[in-house]
Amino acid sequence: MDYFLEIFWGGLTRGSIYALIALGYTMVYGILELINFAHGEIYMIGAFTALIVSTALAMAGMKGLTVFILASVLAVIYASAYGFTVEKIAYKPLRQAPRLSPLISAIGMSIFLQNYVLLAQTSDFLPFPGLIPEFTFMQPYAHIIGSTEMVIISTTALIMLLLTVFIKFTRMGKAMRATAQDRNMAMLVGIDINKVISSTFILGSALAAVGGVLIASHIGRINFYIGFIAGIKAFTAAVLGGIGSIPGAVLGGLVLGWTESFATGYVSSDYEDVFAFAFLVLILIFRPSGLVGRKTIQKV
Amino acid sequence: MPQTFPQNKGSVLDIVNLTMNFGGLRAIDAVNLHVKQWEIVALIGPNGAGKTTIFNCITGLYKPTAGDIFIQPPGRKRKRVTGMKIHKITKRGMARTFQNIRIFSNMTALENVMIGRHCRTKAGVWEAVLKNKRTRKEEKDIVSQSYNILAKVGLTQAVNELAKNLPYGAQRRLEIARAMATEPFLLLLDEPAAGMNPYETKELDELILRIREEERISILMIEHDMKLVMSVSDRIYVMDYGEKIAEGSPSEIRENHVVIKAYLGEEFDA
Amino acid sequence: MRKIKELRQSLLISVWFMFLTFPIMVIRVNTIDNIIEWRWMNMIYVGLGSFVFSFIWRYLLSKKQSGAKLLKADKPAYLLPMQRIFANPWMQMSALFFIAVFAVIFPFVFSSYQINIMTTALMYVVLGLGLNIVVGQAGLLNLGYAAFYAVGAYSYALLNYHFGIGFWTALPIGAALAALFGIILGLPVLRLRGDYLAIVTLGFGEIVRLVLENWNEFSFGPSGISNIPRPGFFGIELNFEQVSAYLYFLVIGICLLAIFVIRRLQNSRIGRAWIAMREDEVACQSMGIDMTRAKLTALALSSMWAGLVGVIFAAKTTFINPASFTFLESAMILSIIVIGGMGTILGVIVGAFLLILLPEYLRALSDYRMLAFGAAIVLMMIFRPQGIVTVSRRTYQFSDENHAPDISTK
Ligand SMILES: Nc1ncnc2c1ncn2[C@@H]1O[C@H](COP(=O)(O)OP(=O)(O)OP(=O)(O)O)[C@@H](O)[C@H]1O
Ligand SMILES: [Mg+2]
């Protein structure tokens, strides 16, 4: 039973991270119908920024939660700045281009960012400092769920809540929903599309950065390549839930997290990544509209 | 008057109780419709009545929620085609044009029509690579047949022109030519006169009649231009809110109160 | 006035990029010795670079916009001066002649090191041409092309290991197996929209690689398979130099075959169907084209070339492991066709030579290779989506006099 619970919480932790990254894919797709291939790289850059900042601060003698908070804040700021810039450079000039052009551009951007970090930093795995303290009240449950996992799950839950409030009630949230439904109509009623798109990228990147910091402190090491795999898995989560749908992304993330956790926990850990990819291929084939997405018929 | 054409024989298209839902919206509601051999039938109705949806069901683009579609090409057996694949329906002899023009813009006019010949020709990968005598002849035939069809719609001037560079009216005629290249027994035209000036519409009027005359095929046409509808069609169906509200000859439809009401609104019905 | 505004904008951009690249470019933490390296020079480079680049960017964007207007006004498309010279058939013929002579004497003049590099470049030409069938002609984005390449390579390696099957037998088998894989993958996924298809092929490519890496009993895992025999030459043992030349001519032959076959396909009923499919899927089906079949044909034909080159790759290197078939490999081949020119044979050839030979001869740059490719893909998509070589597609030119078909380049 304890083993089951451990796997359950482990899956939930993974799933939370996937959900955080998946939100960025889903929101961009909802508005631009673009698979933002470089999103995984934004997440990686978020994690890298946190690593650099926290290591630098630690060397300067700072300790504990302050480092964690400062590093996270900077990671979020930088990831958002990258997300914003990537959109302006690689996607905005291609708004009117054929559908595959922005996707190919996104792939180029992803390769560029990966190699940018590889060349400017290193190709080796770097140790990520354990920033999240061990809580004493969690001690009795340590064999089932660690403090870091606890923090990840509750932070994600809190962020989901905030995001829901933002999307439902704020002006920008409403503008985003309107643009996702019908871009031209939104433009006609006076919504500044460029601003909405930029905000979407900034928001999505910020969420990815949070995911990056959390998972890096959980796993304890990162390199330039972590964005690629995480990106594809998060995309799988987004598609699984129904791309374009925000609750779908969360649901998809959790389902994928659990599937992976249980599959590696009870079957075999050699094929951890294969499960995710196979899952992706299967969903796209059998249920391309996802778990909560509605089937639409292309209007002719 | 169009009725001069040889007496109509059996029907080539029968639509029985066709229903199509989009989520909660019923776009077509138990519509019955038929087209006879050599007939020109018009399908009219206000915007959003469900006309294009009927075309999409007939040509296999949409799978109808309920109801059936039967075809009986001249000299062939009657056949149910409901829910069949799009290309198979075209191969069986129904070809269409689109309300929002969908030509292949980066292909020339001739190449567009050559695509229409695809389903009547055979050359596969091997033939393409080996390019034997039979294949060369087939290619040559495709070209000359396509050219002849372009001539019929009056587009020989534009034969090597990229389709996207053609004027609007010519693009519409190109779509008709492309559909004709598939050798249909029934041609489905979705608002062929949309966006045309009166002169072009006049030409289209003649073209439609000539196609029927020369190719001996039936035509089902959606159109908002009443002048065109009244002058070419043998029969007219009228739809409103997914339902068929009237059918009859042009003169009958012109007098029909229900139709007038549907078009002009309640308050006009005094 | 406008100049000052532009200057200010560029300054802002340069400040923005200095800010943006600060943590990654300037700071480097060394966690082992616990020191921080501050690379302030990088910040200056970024600032200057982005300042200059922002002017170029603005200039290119405005040129692109006026270019779009030009095209609408039906002016002839802009051609590179080099291309204008080669529009002359006489020049074309003599250029072809010189290339042919050069290709033939190449292995007798240059070292086997040079020959190997050239062989690699030619292999990428074939890979590019193969991928171009699906991407450039049929308009389907395949991000897992390296998987088919792997199928070819592993077919030869494993068949040889277990059954002692020779190179020449393995060549068609590898090609056929890759084509089969293409069909197996294609059957279920071809209904999907274009960008989903791209992701599925990416997932498929990764699955193939991960399976090769983890299924030790089958593929010998990450350590790969070594001692794969080089191709035999009618039973004669060749020395290393001779084998290089032999493989070189073999690849030249396959290259020519690929060009021939693909040209024929382009100008055929099937090639036209692919273009129609790329232009408008709905209209294409409504014209009676069986799209599933057209897509499967494209996928199978495209994978086949990857399988073929895969077998040659295994024979050339005599050692293969999964690391040769990563996503980067697929991305590399994609860059070749995007940068060279999608949909055109000449573009792919130019792209392959550029992308393989340039980093090879400019060794100093080879570390920056993928960085440059990534940037190049983005820039090409924005400023020159047709690729370096702009050959407008050969359209069928109808000549009135005789009704006889006459194919010529427009
Ligand atoms: N793919 C689809 N998904 C959802 N609703 C659809 C779809 N296609 C059509 N509809 C709806 O079905 C109804 C009928 O549409 P249809 O295009 O058939 O009208 P129409 O008679 O052709 O009108 P018009 O004269 O404007 O072309 C409309 O309310 C339309 O919004
Ligand atoms: Mg309509």
Side-chain angles (χ1 to χ4, degrees), chain A residues 297 299, chain B residues 22 25 27 47-53 62 99 191 224:
Chain A
I297 306 173
K299 245 180 179 169
Chain B
F22 295 110
L25 175 83
N47 290 115
K51 306 177 297 287
T52 302
T53 307
Y62 294 169
Q99 179 170 358
E191 304 197 11
H224 283 300

Side-chain angles (χ1 to χ4, degrees), chain B residues 20 31-32 43 52 56 68 94 96 99 122 128 179 183 209 227 239 241 245 265 269:
Chain B
M20 178 83 206
V31 168
N32 289 292
L43 182 57
T52 302
N56 290 341
D68 272 309
M94 290 196 284
R96 69 176 293 178
Q99 179 170 358
K122 283 206 218 42
E183 296 175 14
L209 291 173
K227 199 158 153 268
M239 285 186 67
Y241 291 114
I245 57 169
D269 183 41

